[in-house]
């Protein structure tokens, strides 16, 4: 059996791995797209038994969970649909003709799994060619060169045997079908009608798939002559039919790069095991699948037909079959005429065309004297023309955002639309007119070397594409003493701040400057916020022990409980509870003022004097509060004026600190502090009232005898209380 190095490699690869344990698949549903010229219903009826049912039964059951395959059709006239489905990851496999497979191999990196072999007239073949035929009685056409200036019937542009292969053969002999053929009639897949028109003399030459004449009309072969008939071989075997062209691979199945290699091998193994007697093979009218074939020749044909192009180091499959006009590809030095010129070309040449068919008569026009001249605006605002552009050369250098325009001049472009594409995207358009000049204006923003295409009615002009060098625009630059930096142009022409700066109020501020200007104030504000929050929390805590002076109710006259460092201790009522009120800081009074320290009703001069007195060892006679001369109060006020106000303020601050600590102290040997009055000028302590009096009262009570046991008990209480205070944190 014939085996090239490529095929033998595949064969050994499959043999080595056919028994391998494969990992589970990421999904269990795979879609196969069939790109064919056949009707969808006919294609699915013929190929579902092979590509859907057969593969699901033979390959799908080898995985757990089972894998299933789905076959869908993609209209061959809408290649963009297939491309979109591939890009979206919908299609995992493609079954199609060799020209399409060659495109997918170049653009999407699909790989061939297997190529089908057909059984025609009992003879098996894995490829096909093209046949160029004429009447045997036509003595004017004996060779390929005689096809020039004749009327030719073809299939459609993507039909390899019915158009592409004969087209390539004519090109090899210096004949272009769109410039050197008198008339081309497109019969699509109706080879029989084309044959009938050749037999009737309506056509001089017909193109057909090799093997078609022998299989469909063997009785008519004596009336026909095959032009450039060759005997050739394919894959090491003699090709069984007459052909005018070389043989290329048959239809095949391709897999996307995402399909695991072990799944590809199992699919190939299943297809390779399929034989012509299997019901699925009979349904698809194939004999079997064979090892993958090389698609180099179909790829070359794609390039010649303009179906495959290389743009920016990548390949692009042209959207070629939206109509006959859009499918036309003119040779170098020619451009396609306008749609009106192409549609009316045969009528102008007095050549008839069946109304249900497409015909073209030399649709490509010699491109002579076409020029593309760039123009740009100078500093004075005047348009200045540059030198004529040359193909694939730098035509003009402009700054981002600068307006440029191209002047396209050629008599042939009257009533033809012109357009400019930048990196394949439409940027400007010039509607058809009778003018010999077409001015196309545009602005460019993307920095770098741009590929600019100039098209006439969708066809590349001979000088196209050209290159436009777009340099960075000049933005405000430099820096100043305030730590600002100049703006720079980005890729799309916008002026932005450099990478090490930020946009602040339309100025670019350097990062260190912005850091210093934001962090320090923020830090200060945080400190202020913390201080305010601390004061707020302190106020909440102080609210638990603060007592308003109006809440203290004194008897009239007030009952004196004892004497403290800065005055008397008075009995009062706080919220219906008896309490002892003590002044802890001497007051500030002004001469001539009678303002009471405690604002106590019926305060007598004697009592007021006792409150102002700093210290005294003699007890106060609380039984007599007779009115006293004004001089006594004056002496008290004079004594107050001797106090240092700064010292008193510090004493009050220390008092607040102590009171906040004492408010939380609880011990059996410490008199509970109920609160304090701090809303006036004289801070007052409010403590629980000891109904039995103080230790001072007990020691001086003649009716009470303090023995050693009682004294020990008193000492223990004092020690326990003082120990608790000294152990507090903070220490009291």
């Amino acid at each position: 059996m014939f085996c090239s190095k490529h095929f033998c490699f595949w064969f050994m690869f499959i043999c080595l791995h056919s028994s391998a344990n494969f990992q589970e698949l990421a999904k269990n549903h795979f879609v196969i797209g069939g790109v064919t010229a056949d009707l969808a219903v006919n294609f699915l009826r013929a190929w579902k038994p092979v590509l859907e049912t057969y593969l699901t039964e033979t390959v799908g059951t080898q995985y757990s969970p089972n894998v299933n395959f789905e076959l869908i059709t993609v209209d061959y006239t809408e290649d963009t649909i297939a491309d979109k489905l591939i890009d979206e990851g919908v299609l995992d496999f493609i079954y199609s003709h060799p020209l399409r497979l060659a495109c997918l191999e170049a653009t999407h990196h699909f790989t061939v799994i297997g190529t089908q072999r057909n059984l025609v007239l009992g003879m098996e073949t894995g490829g096909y060619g093209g046949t160029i035929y004429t009447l045997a009685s036509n003595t004017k056409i004996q060779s390929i060169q005689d096809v020039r200036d004749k009327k030719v019937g073809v299939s459609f542009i993507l039909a390899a045997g019915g158009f592409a292969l004969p087209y390539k053969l004519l090109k090899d002999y210096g004949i272009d079908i769109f410039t050197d053929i008198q008339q081309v009639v497109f019969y699509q897949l109706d080879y029989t009608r084309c044959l009938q028109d050749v037999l009737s003399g309506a056509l001089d030459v017909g193109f057909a798939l090799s093997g078609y004449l022998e299989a469909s009309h063997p009785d008519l072969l004596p009336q026909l002559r095959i032009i450039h008939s060759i005997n050739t071989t394919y894959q090491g075997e003699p090709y069984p039919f007459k052909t005018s062209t070389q043989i290329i691979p048959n239809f095949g199945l391709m897999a996307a790069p995402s399909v695991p290699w072990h799944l590809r091998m199992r699919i190939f193994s299943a297809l390779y095991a399929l034989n012509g007697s299997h019901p699925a093979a009979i349904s698809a009218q194939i004999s079997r699948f064979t090892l993958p074939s090389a698609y180099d020749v179909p790829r070359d044909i794609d390039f010649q037909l303009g179906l495959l192009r290389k743009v920016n180091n990548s390949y692009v499959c042209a959207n070629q079959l939206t109509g006959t006009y859009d499918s036309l590809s003119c040779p170098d030095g020619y451009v396609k005429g306008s749609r009106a010129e192409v549609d009316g070309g045969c009528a102008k040449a007095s050549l008839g065309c069946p109304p249900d068919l497409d015909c073209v008569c030399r649709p490509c026009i010699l491109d002579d004297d076409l020029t593309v001249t760039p123009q740009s605006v100078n500093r004075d605002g005047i348009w200045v023309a540059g030198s004529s552009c040359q193909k694939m050369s730098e035509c003009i250098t402009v700054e981002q955002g600068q307006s440029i325009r191209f002047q396209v001049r050629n008599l042939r472009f009257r009533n033809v639309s012109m357009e400019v594409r930048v990196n394949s995207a439409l940027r400007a358009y010039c509607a058809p007119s009778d003018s010999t000049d077409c001015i196309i204006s545009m602005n460019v923003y993307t920095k770098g070397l741009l590929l600019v295409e100039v098209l006439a009615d969708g066809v590349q002009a001979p000088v196209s594409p050209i290159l436009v060098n777009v340099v960075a625009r000049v933005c405000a630059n430099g820096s100043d003493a305030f730590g600002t930096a100049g703006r720079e142009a980005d890729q799309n022409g916008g002026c932005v701040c450099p990478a090490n700066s930020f946009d602040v109020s339309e100025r670019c501020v350097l990062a260190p400057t912005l850091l210093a200007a934001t962090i320090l104030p923020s830090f200060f504000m945080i400190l202020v916020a913390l201080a305010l929050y601390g004061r707020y929390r302190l106020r909440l805590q102080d609210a638990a022990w603060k007592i308003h002076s109006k809440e203290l109710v004194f008897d009239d006259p007030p009952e004196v409980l004892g004497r403290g460092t800065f005055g008397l201790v008075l009995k009062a009522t706080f919220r219906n509870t008896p309490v002892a009120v003590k002044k802890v800081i001497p007051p500030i009074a002004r001469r001539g003022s009678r303002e009471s320290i405690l604002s106590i009703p019926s305060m007598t001069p004697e009592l007021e004097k006792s409150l102002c007195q700093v210290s005294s060892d003699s007890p106060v006679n609380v039984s007599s509060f007779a009115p006293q001369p004004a001089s006594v109060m004056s002496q008290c006020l004079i004594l107050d004026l001797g106090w240092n106000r700064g010292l008193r303020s510090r004493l009050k601050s220390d008092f607040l600190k102590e009171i906040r600590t004492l408010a939380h102290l609880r011990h059996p040997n410490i008199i509970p502090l109920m609160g304090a009055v701090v809303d006036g000028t004289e801070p007052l302590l409010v403590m629980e009232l000891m109904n039995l009096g103080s230790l001072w009262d007990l020691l001086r009570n003649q009716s009470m005898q303090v023995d050693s046991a009682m004294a020990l008990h008193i000492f223990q209480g004092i020690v326990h209380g003082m120990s608790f205070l000294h152990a507090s944190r903070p220490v009291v």
Side-chain angles (χ1 to χ4, degrees):
M1 178 181 176
F2 172 79
C3 180
S4 68
K5 292 181 179 179
H6 176 70
F7 294 157
C8 289
F9 170 78
W10 268 91
F11 185 78
M12 290 186 294
F13 185 78
I14 293 171
C15 290
L16 288 172
H17 295 85
S18 59
S19 61
N21 293 323
F22 303 114
Q23 59 185 7
E24 293 185 358
L25 297 172
K27 62 179 183 178
N28 60 359
H29 180 76
F30 292 87
V31 179
I32 303 173
V35 182
T36 175
D38 200 358
L39 292 176
V41 62
N42 294 339
F43 173 75
L44 292 176
R45 184 186 302 114
W47 279 94
K48 266 198 172 187
V50 177
L51 299 179
E52 190 169 296
T53 306
Y54 177 74
L55 290 183
T56 300
E57 292 175 351
T58 57
V59 178
T61 55
Q62 299 181 44
Y63 289 91
S64 178
N66 291 348
V67 171
N68 63 81
F69 297 88
E70 178 187 3
L71 177 63
I72 65 173
T73 59
V74 180
D75 189 350
Y76 80 98
T77 64
E78 295 291 346
D79 287 344
T80 53
I81 296 179
D83 290 338
K84 182 180 179 182
L85 293 177
I86 292 172
D87 294 337
E88 293 176 351
V90 176
L91 294 182
D92 303 293
F93 302 90
I94 288 287
Y95 169 83
S96 188
H97 53 82
L99 299 185
R100 183 60 179 163
L101 294 183
C103 260
L104 290 174
E105 192 175 43
T107 59
H108 292 83
H109 307 292
F110 272 55
T111 54
V112 184
I113 294 179
T115 304
Q116 77 181 51
R117 293 179 69 87
N118 296 336
L119 194 63
V120 182
L121 298 178
M123 294 175 286
E124 186 181 89
T125 175
Y128 60 91
T131 300
I132 304 175
Y133 63 92
T134 186
L135 281 173
S137 59
N138 190 343
T139 58
K140 294 182 180 180
I141 303 177
Q142 300 292 331
S143 66
I144 291 294
Q145 294 292 348
D146 297 330
V147 179
R148 191 187 301 269
D149 294 324
K150 300 299 187 293
K151 293 183 288 185
V152 178
V154 303
S155 179
F156 60 95
I157 288 182
L158 268 185
F163 180 84
L165 287 170
Y167 169 89
K168 181 179 184 301
L169 179 62
L170 293 178
K171 289 285 288 185
D172 293 341
Y173 280 84
I175 301 173
D176 188 271
I177 197 169
F178 296 131
T179 61
D180 301 317
I181 301 300
Q182 185 182 32
Q183 184 182 38
V184 180
V185 183
F186 292 91
Y187 287 87
Q188 301 303 315
L189 292 177
D190 197 348
Y191 290 111
T192 300
R193 182 176 177 182
C194 179
L195 174 60
Q196 291 172 350
D197 286 348
V198 171
L199 293 173
S200 68
L203 294 176
D204 298 311
V205 176
F207 293 173
L209 183 71
S210 59
Y212 166 76
L213 296 176
E214 294 90 336
S216 301
H217 303 283
D219 55 319
L220 298 178
L221 285 177
Q223 302 179 46
L224 303 173
R225 181 171 63 253
I226 307 299
I227 303 172
H228 195 263
S229 179
I230 59 174
N231 295 321
T232 184
T233 61
Y234 183 68
Q235 295 183 348
E237 301 173 348
Y239 190 71
F241 305 110
K242 292 182 180 181
T243 179
S244 302
T245 70
Q246 66 186 117
I247 307 302
I248 63 173
N250 211 327
F251 279 57
L253 182 66
M254 273 190 162
S258 59
V259 177
W261 63 269
H262 50 83
L263 179 59
R264 302 184 199 184
M265 290 195 308
R266 290 191 170 184
I267 291 175
F268 169 77
S269 179
L271 293 177
Y272 192 76
L274 185 68
N275 57 59
S277 61
H278 194 283
I282 295 173
S283 173
Q285 299 180 358
I286 62 172
S287 60
R288 61 190 176 92
F289 272 81
T290 186
L291 294 169
S293 301
Y295 285 83
D296 298 336
V297 175
R299 187 184 305 111
D300 293 339
I301 297 175
D302 284 339
F303 276 116
Q304 288 187 355
L305 289 174
L307 305 180
L308 183 62
R309 294 183 299 163
K310 191 171 184 180
V311 179
N312 295 333
N313 296 323
S314 61
Y315 293 101
V316 176
C317 272
N319 180 22
Q320 69 275 14
L321 289 174
T322 55
T324 299
Y325 177 81
D326 299 320
S327 305
L328 302 179
S329 178
C330 295
D332 292 340
Y334 288 81
V335 292
K336 184 167 53 177
S338 67
R339 188 178 294 273
E341 289 174 335
V342 172
D343 291 342
C346 292
K348 186 177 181 180
S350 301
L351 295 173
C353 179
D356 59 330
L357 299 178
D358 289 332
C359 304
V360 294
C361 298
R362 292 189 169 93
C364 297
I365 305 171
L366 182 64
D367 180 24
D368 54 348
D369 300 330
L370 184 145
T371 59
V372 177
T373 305
Q375 298 178 351
S376 59
V377 180
N378 62 13
R379 296 180 179 274
D380 298 326
I382 301 174
W383 286 96
V384 178
S387 302
S388 296
C389 299
Q390 302 298 319
K391 187 170 185 175
M392 287 306 296
S393 63
E394 187 174 319
C395 183
I396 188 174
T397 299
V398 296
E399 188 179 292
Q400 287 175 307
Q402 183 178 349
S403 297
I404 60 172
R405 65 188 186 187
F406 295 96
Q407 181 184 34
V408 183
R409 172 168 295 178
N410 194 297
L411 293 174
R412 189 169 41 77
F413 283 122
R414 284 183 296 180
N415 297 315
V416 175
S417 65
M418 297 293 300
E419 61 185 55
V420 170
R421 293 182 178 271
V422 178
N423 290 347
S424 300
L426 179 63
R427 294 293 300 273
Y429 177 81
C430 185
S433 68
D434 290 330
S435 174
T436 58
D437 290 339
C438 175
I439 304 297
I440 296 179
S441 301
M442 59 186 294
N443 290 341
V444 289
Y445 296 94
T446 304
K447 185 169 57 178
L449 205 59
L450 304 182
L451 185 73
V452 179
E453 300 172 281
V454 181
L455 298 93
D457 265 356
V459 179
Q460 290 273 3
V463 298
S464 177
I466 56 179
L467 302 177
V468 174
N469 186 19
V470 183
V471 298
R473 63 178 294 188
V474 178
C475 300
N477 51 22
S479 59
D480 54 32
F482 297 99
T484 61
R487 295 179 181 269
E488 299 175 351
D490 61 10
Q491 183 64 23
N492 297 317
C495 287
V496 298
C497 292
N500 62 337
S501 63
F502 299 90
D503 193 339
V504 179
S505 300
E506 299 184 355
R507 298 184 68 186
C508 296
V509 181
L510 296 174
T513 304
L514 183 63
L515 194 64
T518 55
I519 290 184
L520 293 180
S522 300
F523 181 72
F524 176 75
M525 293 179 64
I526 292 174
L527 292 179
V528 172
L530 290 175
L532 293 176
Y533 179 73
R535 293 187 61 182
Y536 169 74
R537 289 295 303 271
L538 194 60
R539 288 182 180 179
L540 289 180
Q541 295 174 1
D542 291 349
W545 55 263
K546 280 187 177 181
I547 297 175
H548 197 278
S549 59
K550 294 182 179 180
E551 293 185 274
L552 297 177
V553 179
F554 296 90
D555 293 339
D556 188 13
E559 180 180 348
V560 177
L561 301 177
R563 179 186 299 278
T565 304
F566 299 108
L568 299 177
V569 179
L570 302 181
K571 180 180 179 181
T573 302
F574 170 61
R575 299 177 186 175
N576 299 321
T577 302
V579 294
V581 180
K582 179 181 179 181
K583 182 159 67 80
V584 294
I585 298 178
I588 293 180
R590 295 180 297 274
R591 185 177 300 276
S593 173
R594 287 284 301 168
E595 193 175 302
S596 174
I597 295 173
L598 293 176
S599 300
I600 301 173
S602 305
M603 179 66 71
T604 63
E606 179 64 24
L607 179 58
E608 192 169 8
K609 178 181 178 182
S610 67
L611 293 174
C612 290
Q613 187 173 347
V614 176
S615 62
S616 177
D617 294 331
S618 61
V620 178
N621 184 2
V622 298
S623 61
S624 175
F625 290 99
Q628 299 292 328
S631 59
V632 177
M633 179 58 64
S634 299
Q635 293 174 3
C636 175
L637 295 178
I638 292 172
L639 177 64
D640 292 334
L641 290 175
W643 279 83
N644 183 288
R645 293 181 180 272
L647 176 60
R648 187 179 187 283
S649 176
R650 187 166 62 254
L651 289 175
K652 184 175 182 180
S653 176
D654 293 340
F655 164 73
L656 291 176
K657 292 179 182 179
E658 290 293 333
I659 200 66
R660 290 182 179 119
T661 301
L662 295 175
H664 296 88
L665 294 178
R666 294 293 184 269
H667 192 272
N669 300 112
I670 298 177
I671 299 176
L673 177 69
M674 301 186 69
V677 177
V678 293
D679 55 353
T681 59
E682 305 169 5
L684 304 174
L685 282 178
V686 179
M687 297 175 294
E688 181 181 332
L689 179 65
M690 306 302 293
N691 293 322
L692 298 180
S694 64
L695 179 61
W696 175 275
D697 296 332
L698 177 63
L699 296 177
R700 285 163 176 71
N701 191 339
Q702 300 297 327
S703 63
M704 293 292 295
Q705 184 67 33
V706 180
D707 56 13
S708 59
M710 181 179 292
L712 178 61
H713 180 72
I714 293 173
F715 292 154
Q716 287 178 339
I718 295 173
V719 170
H720 288 163
M722 294 300 294
S723 176
F724 177 80
L725 292 176
H726 292 169
S728 300
R729 293 292 181 271
V731 178
V732 178

